[in-house]
Amino acid sequence: MVNIRRFHHLARLLLVFLCMNVVWYIAYLLMNHPILPSPLAVYNAMAHLEAKDLWLNISYSLFRIFAGVIIALIVGLLIGLLMGRSQVWNKLLDPVVYLTYPVPKIALLPVVMLFFGLGEVSKILMIMLILLFQVIISVRDGVKAIPDSTYDVLTSIGASTAQKFWNVMLPGALSVILSTIRISLGTAISVLFFTEIYGTEHGMGFFIMDAWLRLDYPEMYAGIMLFSLVGFVLFLLVDVLDYKFMKWRN
């Protein structure tokens, strides 16, 4: 039954992908301009990209994404758990979170670059900032939603604090963390694109802008599609983690 559902899901994805290419080709015929090459021209450019340079750019982008996400998860999880289980810390940190959360993080890019330069730190930090506050709020709300009676039951059977964390708090927090990452991943990748066009010679953002400056539109669109593919694969990875660790939800 599970395999049938997966097959149907894959078939729908392929059908949508095919329809998008048909719409793209129709737009190419209607525009008849070099700024919008045909799908075949873009796929041909993609096939002729140098594998070494391509994987180097993808590796740099993936490293920045993973580093930013992991830092945001570690810091956000610790602060979120603290706020979720302690009324004192929640009252102290809640105003700070709510005052800083609405600030558009992309607007902080010039500030971050002034303080941390144009290197890897500023790029990773921007991705971390995009995710951090959403992780904090999601984890805090997820932990607060766990009934106190659940902890009382574990206390009555002699469970330690570590056992309560691994069996109650972490599963409750992990559920909302995965949902938060799924929602925020697109925004994080968009911010990464902006950071990679400044002071770097590697990354998919640099690759796309370099092709644009050279007026190589097929290669530019090939880079956009590959960048989108990276995001799609990361999105699928979150789904896999959700399926593996959140089976109790299903």
Side-chain angles (χ1 to χ4, degrees):
M1 197 65 186
V2 174
N3 290 331
I4 294 176
R5 286 200 299 267
R6 289 179 180 176
F7 175 77
H8 287 165
H9 182 62
L10 180 61
R12 287 196 298 270
L13 288 175
L14 291 175
L15 179 61
V16 171
F17 180 72
L18 179 61
C19 291
M20 291 173 64
N21 278 272
V22 170
V23 173
W24 180 1
Y25 187 72
I26 293 173
Y28 157 73
L29 293 177
L30 293 174
M31 286 192 63
N32 191 26
H33 196 282
I35 63 173
L36 183 62
S38 70
L40 293 177
V42 173
Y43 294 136
N44 182 60
M46 191 182 301
H48 288 85
L49 293 175
E50 293 187 17
K52 183 178 179 181
D53 291 339
L54 179 62
W55 284 112
L56 182 64
N57 287 312
I58 291 177
S59 299
Y60 267 87
S61 293
L62 284 175
F63 166 74
R64 291 158 184 161
I65 292 172
F66 278 120
V69 170
I70 290 173
I71 295 173
L73 288 178
I74 293 174
V75 178
L77 181 63
L78 293 174
I79 297 176
L81 289 174
L82 191 63
M83 294 176 67
R85 291 300 298 162
S86 171
Q87 288 293 333
V88 175
W89 280 106
N90 187 52
K91 289 180 180 179
L92 287 173
L93 297 176
D94 188 68
V96 178
V97 172
Y98 273 88
L99 284 173
T100 53
Y101 177 68
V103 176
K105 306 305 179 294
I106 191 64
L108 297 176
L109 179 59
V111 178
V112 171
M113 287 184 170
L114 282 174
F115 279 91
F116 298 96
L118 302 177
E120 298 299 316
V121 175
S122 61
K123 296 171 176 57
I124 294 171
L125 186 59
M126 283 302 303
I127 296 175
M128 187 271 288
L129 288 174
I130 290 291
L131 294 171
L132 177 61
F133 295 97
Q134 299 183 52
V135 171
I136 292 174
I137 294 173
S138 298
V139 171
R140 184 204 61 182
D141 293 345
V143 171
K144 289 177 70 174
I146 301 173
D148 291 334
S149 58
T150 306
Y151 297 103
D152 295 336
V153 171
L154 291 176
T155 301
S156 65
I157 60 176
S160 64
T161 302
Q163 289 173 323
K164 293 177 184 178
F165 172 79
W166 285 109
N167 293 285
V168 178
M169 294 176 65
L170 186 59
L174 187 59
S175 174
V176 292
I177 284 175
L178 291 175
S179 297
T180 299
I181 293 176
R182 187 183 289 108
I183 294 171
S184 306
L185 201 54
T187 307
I189 293 175
S190 299
V191 171
L192 176 64
F193 172 81
F194 282 103
T195 63
E196 286 185 336
I197 64 179
Y198 297 104
T200 184
E201 295 182 354
H202 300 292
M204 291 308 298
F206 167 79
F207 178 87
I208 294 169
M209 292 303 295
D210 179 64
W212 175 66
L213 291 172
R214 290 185 285 105
L215 303 181
D216 190 341
Y217 297 119
E219 187 171 303
M220 181 190 75
Y221 281 97
I224 293 172
M225 292 195 66
L226 288 170
F227 205 14
S228 301
L229 181 61
V230 170
F232 179 71
V233 171
L234 292 175
F235 196 84
L236 288 180
L237 179 60
V238 175
D239 280 346
V240 171
L241 293 175
D242 188 281
Y243 176 78
K244 182 175 179 61
F245 294 106
M246 298 289 107
K247 290 183 178 180
W248 56 270
R249 248 187 353 189
N250 300 323

